[in-house]
Protein backbone atom coordinates (compact mmCIF):
# COMPACT_ATOMS: atom_id res chain seq x y z
CA UNK A 1 0.00 0.00 0.00
CA UNK A 2 2.76 2.44 1.01
CA UNK A 3 4.62 1.86 -2.26
CA UNK A 4 1.63 3.31 -4.16
CA UNK A 5 1.78 6.62 -2.27
CA UNK A 6 4.13 9.58 -2.50
CA UNK A 7 6.58 9.79 0.44
CA UNK A 8 4.59 12.30 2.50
CA UNK A 9 1.32 10.45 1.95
CA UNK A 10 3.03 7.16 2.86
CA UNK A 11 4.33 8.65 6.11
CA UNK A 12 0.88 10.02 6.97
CA UNK A 13 -0.78 6.67 6.16
CA UNK A 14 1.66 4.78 8.39
CA UNK A 15 1.17 7.31 11.19
CA UNK A 16 -2.62 7.08 10.96
CA UNK A 17 -2.41 3.29 11.12
CA UNK A 18 -0.02 3.16 14.08
CA UNK A 19 -1.01 6.05 16.33
CA UNK A 20 -4.69 5.13 16.93
CA UNK A 21 -3.70 1.54 17.68
CA UNK A 22 -0.94 2.55 20.09
CA UNK A 23 -3.13 5.17 21.74
CA UNK A 24 -5.93 2.65 22.21
CA UNK A 25 -3.77 -0.04 23.80
CA UNK A 26 -1.45 2.21 25.86
CA UNK A 27 -4.46 4.35 26.81
CA UNK A 28 -2.58 7.19 28.55
CA UNK A 29 -5.85 8.74 29.70
CA UNK A 30 -6.80 5.74 31.81
CA UNK A 31 -3.18 5.33 32.86
CA UNK A 32 -3.03 8.94 34.03
CA UNK A 33 -6.03 8.45 36.31
CA UNK A 34 -4.40 5.43 37.94
CA UNK A 35 -1.01 7.19 38.01
CA UNK A 36 -2.62 10.06 39.91
CA UNK A 37 -4.17 7.65 42.39
CA UNK A 38 -1.05 5.65 43.24
CA UNK A 39 1.26 8.71 43.21
CA UNK A 40 -0.87 11.05 45.30
CA UNK A 41 1.55 10.91 48.24
CA UNK A 42 4.51 12.07 46.12
CA UNK A 43 5.39 15.69 45.47
CA UNK A 44 4.50 17.51 42.26
CA UNK A 45 8.12 17.84 41.13
CA UNK A 46 8.73 14.12 41.59
CA UNK A 47 5.53 13.20 39.74
CA UNK A 48 6.47 15.45 36.81
CA UNK A 49 9.94 13.90 36.70
CA UNK A 50 8.40 10.43 36.69
CA UNK A 51 6.02 11.43 33.87
CA UNK A 52 8.94 12.55 31.70
CA UNK A 53 10.93 9.42 32.50
CA UNK A 54 8.02 7.07 31.81
CA UNK A 55 7.36 8.83 28.51
CA UNK A 56 11.00 8.39 27.47
CA UNK A 57 11.16 4.73 28.49
CA UNK A 58 7.83 4.05 26.77
CA UNK A 59 9.27 5.48 23.55
CA UNK A 60 12.20 3.06 23.74
CA UNK A 61 9.94 0.04 24.35
CA UNK A 62 7.63 0.97 21.48
CA UNK A 63 10.43 1.67 19.01
CA UNK A 64 12.21 -1.60 19.76
CA UNK A 65 8.93 -3.48 19.27
CA UNK A 66 7.96 -1.59 16.09
CA UNK A 67 11.36 -1.80 14.43
CA UNK A 68 12.74 -5.09 15.63
CA UNK A 69 9.88 -7.31 16.77
CA UNK A 70 8.82 -8.48 13.33
CA UNK A 71 12.43 -9.10 12.25
CA UNK A 72 13.06 -11.25 15.33
CA UNK A 73 9.99 -13.38 14.62
CA UNK A 74 10.92 -13.66 10.95
CA UNK A 75 14.36 -14.88 12.02
CA UNK A 76 12.63 -17.87 13.57
CA UNK A 77 10.96 -18.73 10.27
CA UNK A 78 7.57 -17.12 10.88
CA UNK A 79 6.20 -15.74 7.62
CA UNK A 80 5.00 -12.16 7.37
CA UNK A 81 1.47 -13.35 6.57
CA UNK A 82 1.36 -15.60 9.64
CA UNK A 83 2.79 -12.78 11.75
CA UNK A 84 0.11 -10.36 10.56
CA UNK A 85 -2.66 -12.89 11.10
CA UNK A 86 -1.51 -13.85 14.60
CA UNK A 87 -0.75 -10.24 15.54
CA UNK A 88 -4.14 -9.05 14.33
CA UNK A 89 -5.88 -11.76 16.34
CA UNK A 90 -3.89 -10.85 19.46
CA UNK A 91 -4.84 -7.20 19.05
CA UNK A 92 -8.50 -8.04 18.43
CA UNK A 93 -8.73 -10.39 21.43
CA UNK A 94 -7.04 -7.80 23.64
CA UNK A 95 -9.45 -5.10 22.43
CA UNK A 96 -12.44 -7.38 23.00
CA UNK A 97 -11.41 -7.97 26.62
CA UNK A 98 -10.92 -4.22 27.15
CA UNK A 99 -14.32 -3.54 25.61
CA UNK A 100 -16.20 -6.04 27.76
CA UNK A 101 -14.33 -5.97 31.07
CA UNK A 102 -12.76 -2.53 31.58
CA UNK A 103 -13.11 -2.75 35.37
CA UNK A 104 -10.91 -5.86 35.52
CA UNK A 105 -8.34 -4.12 33.34
CA UNK A 106 -8.32 -1.08 35.64
CA UNK A 107 -7.91 -3.25 38.75
CA UNK A 108 -4.98 -5.09 37.20
CA UNK A 109 -3.35 -1.80 36.19
CA UNK A 110 -3.69 -0.45 39.74
CA UNK A 111 -1.91 -3.52 41.09
CA UNK A 112 0.88 -3.15 38.51
CA UNK A 113 1.38 0.54 39.25
CA UNK A 114 1.70 0.30 43.04
CA UNK A 115 5.44 1.02 43.29
CA UNK A 116 7.68 1.12 46.33
CA UNK A 117 10.98 2.98 46.51
CA UNK A 118 12.29 6.24 45.10
CA UNK A 119 11.47 7.68 41.68
CA UNK A 120 14.65 6.44 40.00
CA UNK A 121 13.87 2.86 41.04
CA UNK A 122 10.25 2.76 39.84
CA UNK A 123 10.37 4.82 36.63
CA UNK A 124 11.06 1.84 34.36
CA UNK A 125 9.62 -0.96 36.49
CA UNK A 126 6.74 -1.03 37.21
CA UNK A 127 5.57 2.36 35.85
CA UNK A 128 6.80 1.86 32.27
CA UNK A 129 6.83 -1.92 32.10
CA UNK A 130 4.30 -3.45 32.64
CA UNK A 131 2.01 -0.57 33.69
CA UNK A 132 2.26 1.77 30.68
CA UNK A 133 3.72 -0.39 27.91
CA UNK A 134 3.06 -3.95 28.97
CA UNK A 135 2.79 -7.19 26.99
CA UNK A 136 -0.39 -6.01 25.25
CA UNK A 137 1.28 -2.82 24.00
CA UNK A 138 4.34 -4.75 22.85
CA UNK A 139 2.16 -7.25 20.98
CA UNK A 140 0.28 -4.44 19.24
CA UNK A 141 3.54 -2.71 18.29
CA UNK A 142 4.94 -5.95 16.84
CA UNK A 143 1.70 -6.51 14.92
CA UNK A 144 1.92 -2.99 13.50
CA UNK A 145 5.56 -3.53 12.57
CA UNK A 146 4.54 -6.66 10.67
CA UNK A 147 2.51 -4.53 8.23
CA UNK A 148 5.70 -2.93 6.90
CA UNK A 149 6.68 -3.48 3.25
CA UNK A 150 9.29 -6.19 2.76
CA UNK A 151 12.98 -5.27 2.75
CA UNK A 152 13.93 -3.66 -0.56
CA UNK A 153 10.35 -2.79 -1.51
CA UNK A 154 9.33 0.84 -2.11
CA UNK A 155 7.58 2.40 0.85
CA UNK A 156 9.65 0.73 3.59
CA UNK A 157 11.36 3.89 4.79
CA UNK A 158 8.23 6.02 4.64
CA UNK A 159 6.49 3.36 6.72
CA UNK A 160 9.29 3.35 9.30
CA UNK A 161 9.26 7.15 9.52
CA UNK A 162 5.47 7.15 9.97
CA UNK A 163 5.37 4.54 12.74
CA UNK A 164 8.36 6.17 14.45
CA UNK A 165 6.48 9.47 14.46
CA UNK A 166 3.48 7.65 15.95
CA UNK A 167 5.66 6.20 18.73
CA UNK A 168 7.11 9.65 19.48
CA UNK A 169 3.62 11.16 19.58
CA UNK A 170 2.46 8.35 21.86
CA UNK A 171 5.35 8.90 24.26
CA UNK A 172 4.57 12.63 24.28
CA UNK A 173 0.95 11.83 25.15
CA UNK A 174 2.10 9.66 28.06
CA UNK A 175 4.29 12.50 29.35
CA UNK A 176 1.60 15.17 28.98
CA UNK A 177 -1.26 13.07 30.36
CA UNK A 178 0.72 11.77 33.34
CA UNK A 179 2.01 15.28 34.12
CA UNK A 180 -1.57 16.58 33.97
CA UNK A 181 -3.09 13.62 35.83
CA UNK A 182 -4.64 15.62 38.67
CA UNK A 183 -6.30 18.04 36.23
CA UNK A 184 -7.61 15.16 34.09
CA UNK A 185 -9.16 13.54 37.16
CA UNK A 186 -10.96 16.77 37.99
CA UNK A 187 -12.10 17.24 34.39
CA UNK A 188 -13.27 13.75 33.44
CA UNK A 189 -13.70 11.64 36.53
CA UNK A 190 -13.68 7.85 36.40
CA UNK A 191 -16.99 7.57 34.46
CA UNK A 192 -15.82 9.93 31.73
CA UNK A 193 -12.56 8.03 31.42
CA UNK A 194 -14.43 4.73 31.03
CA UNK A 195 -16.45 6.15 28.13
CA UNK A 196 -13.23 7.18 26.38
CA UNK A 197 -11.69 3.79 27.17
CA UNK A 198 -14.55 1.89 25.54
CA UNK A 199 -14.37 4.02 22.40
CA UNK A 200 -10.62 3.43 22.22
CA UNK A 201 -11.11 -0.33 22.72
CA UNK A 202 -13.60 -0.48 19.85
CA UNK A 203 -11.18 1.38 17.58
CA UNK A 204 -8.44 -1.05 18.57
CA UNK A 205 -10.72 -3.99 17.76
CA UNK A 206 -11.28 -2.63 14.24
CA UNK A 207 -7.54 -2.16 13.73
CA UNK A 208 -6.83 -5.71 14.93
CA UNK A 209 -9.39 -7.14 12.51
CA UNK A 210 -7.86 -5.13 9.65
CA UNK A 211 -4.35 -6.45 10.41
CA UNK A 212 -5.71 -10.02 10.59
CA UNK A 213 -7.51 -9.60 7.25
CA UNK A 214 -4.21 -8.48 5.69
CA UNK A 215 -2.61 -11.63 7.12
CA UNK A 216 -5.33 -13.84 5.66
CA UNK A 217 -4.79 -12.25 2.25
CA UNK A 218 -1.03 -12.83 2.50
CA UNK A 219 -1.53 -16.49 3.43
CA UNK A 220 -4.29 -17.33 0.93
CA UNK A 221 -3.12 -15.40 -2.14
CA UNK A 222 -0.16 -17.68 -3.01
CA UNK A 223 -2.26 -20.78 -2.29
CA UNK A 224 -5.04 -19.63 -4.61
CA UNK A 225 -2.52 -18.54 -7.24
CA UNK A 226 -0.79 -21.97 -7.12
CA UNK A 227 -4.12 -23.75 -7.39
CA UNK A 228 -5.12 -21.71 -10.43
CA UNK A 229 -1.70 -22.18 -12.07
CA UNK A 230 -1.89 -25.96 -11.61
CA UNK A 231 -5.05 -26.20 -13.66
Amino acid sequence: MYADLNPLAGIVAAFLLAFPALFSIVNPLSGALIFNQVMEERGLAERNWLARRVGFYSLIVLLVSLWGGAYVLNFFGISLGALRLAGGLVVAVRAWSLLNAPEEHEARKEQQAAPAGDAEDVAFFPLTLPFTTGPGSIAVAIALGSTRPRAGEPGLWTFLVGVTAAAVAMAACVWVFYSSASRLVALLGRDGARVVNRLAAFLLLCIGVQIAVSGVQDVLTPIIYSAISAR
Side-chain angles (χ1 to χ4, degrees):
M1 178 182 78
Y2 305 98
D4 299 329
L5 304 174
N6 64 58
L8 180 58
I11 291 171
V12 172
F15 179 88
L16 293 178
L17 171 70
F19 182 75
L22 293 177
F23 189 91
S24 300
I25 190 64
V26 174
N27 205 336
L29 176 58
S30 175
L33 300 182
I34 299 173
F35 179 85
N36 180 74
Q37 181 176 338
V38 300
M39 294 289 162
E40 59 185 358
E41 295 181 0
R42 298 180 184 252
L44 179 61
E46 186 178 21
R47 292 168 66 177
N48 289 338
W49 184 90
L50 278 169
R52 291 194 300 272
R53 216 56 167 159
V54 171
F56 174 71
Y57 289 146
S58 297
L59 175 62
I60 294 175
V61 172
L62 292 175
L63 287 180
V64 169
S65 302
L66 284 166
W67 288 351
Y71 288 104
V72 171
L73 293 179
N74 286 340
F75 176 79
F76 290 100
I78 301 173
S79 69
L80 195 59
L83 183 59
R84 287 174 176 171
L85 178 56
L89 291 175
V90 168
V91 173
V93 170
R94 177 73 172 173
W96 184 257
S97 67
L98 292 175
L99 192 60
N100 287 279
E103 293 80 7
E104 294 180 9
H105 177 69
E106 288 178 7
R108 185 167 61 252
K109 283 285 190 179
E110 287 179 8
Q111 292 177 354
Q112 292 174 344
D118 59 35
E120 186 70 41
D121 292 334
V122 303
F124 183 76
F125 179 85
L127 289 181
T128 300
L129 187 71
F131 172 60
T132 303
T133 52
S137 303
I138 293 172
V140 170
I142 292 175
L144 289 169
S146 73
T147 64
R148 73 186 192 282
R150 291 176 174 82
E153 290 184 350
L156 176 60
W157 287 107
T158 57
F159 174 83
L160 291 177
V161 171
V163 297
T164 298
V168 171
M170 188 66 257
C173 286
V174 170
W175 171 28
V176 171
F177 279 43
Y178 282 23
S179 298
S180 309
S182 58
R183 292 189 289 274
L184 288 173
V185 169
L187 179 64
L188 288 176
R190 186 168 291 271
D191 290 338
R194 283 177 177 169
V195 171
V196 175
N197 291 346
R198 286 183 181 272
L199 291 174
F202 179 73
L203 178 61
L204 185 64
L205 177 62
C206 296
I207 291 172
V209 170
Q210 181 61 54
I211 294 174
V213 168
S214 298
V216 170
Q217 291 175 339
D218 289 342
V219 170
L220 292 183
T221 297
I223 296 175
I224 295 173
Y225 180 79
S226 298
I228 294 175
S229 300
R231 291 183 179 180

